[in-house]
Amino acid sequence: MNRRELLDRASATAEERLLLGHVWDKYEQCRSRCVPTHTEFLSPQEQAAARRLLQAIGAEESEYAFFGGYEGAERRQLHFLPDWAFGPEEDAVAALRCRFYEAGTLNHRDFLGSLMGLGLTREKIGDILVGENSADVLVSRTAEPFLLEQWESAGRAHLQVAPLALADVTAPAQAQREVRDTVSSLRLDSVLSSGFSISRGKAADYIAAGKCELNYAPCMKGDKQAAEGDVITIRGLGKIRLETIGGSTKKGRISIEITRFL
């Protein structure tokens, strides 16, 4: 299968195809020149698409790594590693701490809107971690000098912006709820029913309507078998993660533990 056919098969949209072509170029650049390369920040959906492409072209997992500046980052760069590299180039990601005086006055949208209002494109911006009186913002290293000089406000609040070591990035705890249940099978619609406390029929409707993503890839198969570690999102409802799959009960049902993110 040639490059065009592989990109066509791996891409769901023309925009995604363009992105995956860029990912492939970065991979080939690393291999041919034996130098580290990386993309800008990718969303979880884009990361999943890139991973599928890399698997399709036979890339080894040791040849690439995702990095967003801190453990648990959602938006991450994709770094390609030559044989001599031990890990991603951490200095490709910069962290900024933005302080403001009125607690709780700014949210994620305020910060993102302010950054894009300054002319930054979305791929230059990583996670935005908003606290009470400050926010830690991950950006591409190339954007850091401009932001330190020009970024003065978000929403209606004045900001004090300073560089921050990656080791000092603070991610606010995300509200979540643990769900323990039993299911008749590990079908996707059955797991969704437990995780979101909806009927199995309603779960099937969401899947059929194209509102479900399994590990950040669209999934319209209600009978798809879920596995431990799977992240499942439903547009309009939120996100769950299937943490553990236990044994069978006396009635033949399967015990599961799910984290629901609130």
Coordinates of all heavy atoms in Angstrom, one line a residue, residues 130 171-178 237-241 243 258-262:
V130 N -6.4 25.9 35.1 CA -6.9 27.0 35.8 C -7.1 26.7 37.3 O -7.9 25.8 37.6 CB -8.1 27.6 35.2 CG1 -8.6 28.9 35.9 CG2 -7.9 27.8 33.7
A171 N -1.5 20.7 38.3 CA -2.7 20.4 37.6 C -3.8 20.3 38.7 O -3.7 19.5 39.6 CB -2.6 19.1 36.9
P172 N -4.9 21.1 38.6 CA -6.0 21.0 39.6 C -6.6 19.6 39.6 O -6.7 19.0 38.5 CB -7.0 22.0 39.1 CG -6.2 23.0 38.2 CD -5.1 22.1 37.6
A173 N -7.0 19.1 40.7 CA -7.6 17.8 40.7 C -8.9 17.8 40.0 O -9.7 18.8 40.2 CB -7.8 17.4 42.2
Q174 N -9.2 16.9 39.1 CA -10.4 16.8 38.4 C -11.5 16.0 39.2 O -11.2 14.9 39.7 CB -10.2 16.1 37.0 CG -11.5 16.1 36.2 CD -11.2 15.6 34.8 OE1 -10.1 15.2 34.4 NE2 -12.2 15.6 33.9
A175 N -12.7 16.6 39.3 CA -13.7 15.9 40.0 C -14.1 14.6 39.3 O -14.2 14.6 38.0 CB -14.9 16.8 40.1
Q176 N -14.2 13.5 40.0 CA -14.5 12.2 39.4 C -15.3 11.4 40.4 O -15.3 11.6 41.6 CB -13.3 11.5 38.9 CG -12.3 11.3 40.0 CD -10.9 10.7 39.5 OE1 -10.4 11.3 38.6 NE2 -10.4 9.7 40.1
R177 N -16.0 10.4 39.9 CA -16.8 9.5 40.7 C -16.5 8.0 40.3 O -16.4 7.7 39.1 CB -18.2 9.8 40.5 CG -19.2 8.9 41.4 CD -20.6 9.5 41.5 NE -21.2 9.6 40.2 CZ -22.0 8.7 39.6 NH1 -22.1 7.5 40.2 NH2 -22.5 8.9 38.4
E178 N -16.3 7.2 41.3 CA -16.0 5.8 41.0 C -17.3 5.0 40.9 O -18.2 5.2 41.8 CB -15.1 5.2 42.1 CG -13.8 5.9 42.3 CD -13.0 6.0 41.0 OE1 -12.9 5.0 40.3 OE2 -12.4 7.1 40.8
L237 N -22.3 14.2 27.4 CA -22.3 13.5 28.7 C -21.0 13.6 29.4 O -21.0 13.6 30.6 CB -22.8 12.1 28.5 CG -24.2 11.8 28.1 CD1 -24.5 10.3 28.1 CD2 -25.2 12.6 29.0
G238 N -19.9 13.5 28.7 CA -18.6 13.5 29.3 C -17.8 12.3 29.0 O -17.9 11.7 27.9
K239 N -16.9 11.9 30.0 CA -15.9 10.9 29.7 C -15.8 9.9 30.9 O -16.0 10.3 32.0 CB -14.5 11.6 29.6 CG -13.3 10.7 29.3 CD -12.1 11.4 29.0 CE -11.5 12.2 30.2 NZ -10.2 12.9 29.9
I240 N -15.6 8.6 30.5 CA -15.4 7.6 31.5 C -14.1 6.8 31.2 O -13.7 6.8 30.0 CB -16.6 6.7 31.7 CG1 -16.8 5.9 30.4 CG2 -17.8 7.4 32.2 CD1 -17.9 4.8 30.5
R241 N -13.6 6.1 32.1 CA -12.5 5.2 31.9 C -12.8 3.8 32.6 O -13.1 3.8 33.7 CB -11.1 5.7 32.4 CG -9.9 4.9 32.1 CD -8.6 5.5 32.4 NE -8.5 5.9 33.8 CZ -8.2 7.1 34.3 NH1 -7.9 8.1 33.4 NH2 -8.1 7.3 35.6
E243 N -11.6 1.0 34.4 CA -10.4 0.8 35.2 C -10.1 -0.7 35.3 O -8.9 -1.1 35.0 CB -10.6 1.4 36.6 CG -10.9 2.9 36.6 CD -9.7 3.8 36.2 OE1 -8.6 3.2 35.9 OE2 -9.8 5.0 36.1
I258 N -15.4 1.6 37.1 CA -15.3 2.7 36.1 C -15.0 4.0 36.8 O -15.6 4.2 37.9 CB -16.6 2.8 35.3 CG1 -16.8 1.6 34.4 CG2 -16.6 4.1 34.4 CD1 -18.2 1.5 33.7
T259 N -14.2 4.9 36.2 CA -14.0 6.2 36.7 C -14.9 7.1 35.8 O -14.7 7.1 34.6 CB -12.6 6.7 36.7 OG1 -11.8 5.9 37.6 CG2 -12.5 8.2 37.1
R260 N -15.8 7.9 36.4 CA -16.5 8.9 35.6 C -16.0 10.3 35.9 O -15.9 10.7 37.1 CB -18.0 8.8 35.9 CG -18.8 9.9 35.0 CD -20.3 9.7 35.2 NE -20.9 10.7 34.4 CZ -22.3 10.9 34.4 NH1 -23.0 10.1 35.0 NH2 -22.8 11.8 33.6
F261 N -15.6 11.0 34.9 CA -15.0 12.4 35.1 C -16.1 13.4 35.0 O -16.9 13.4 34.1 CB -13.9 12.7 34.0 CG -12.8 11.7 34.1 CD1 -12.8 10.6 33.3 CD2 -11.7 11.9 35.0 CE1 -11.7 9.7 33.4 CE2 -10.7 11.0 35.0 CZ -10.7 9.9 34.2
L262 N -16.2 14.2 36.1 CA -17.4 15.1 36.2 C -17.0 16.5 35.8 O -15.9 16.9 35.7 CB -17.8 15.1 37.7 CG -18.1 13.8 38.3 CD1 -18.5 13.9 39.8 CD2 -19.3 13.1 37.6

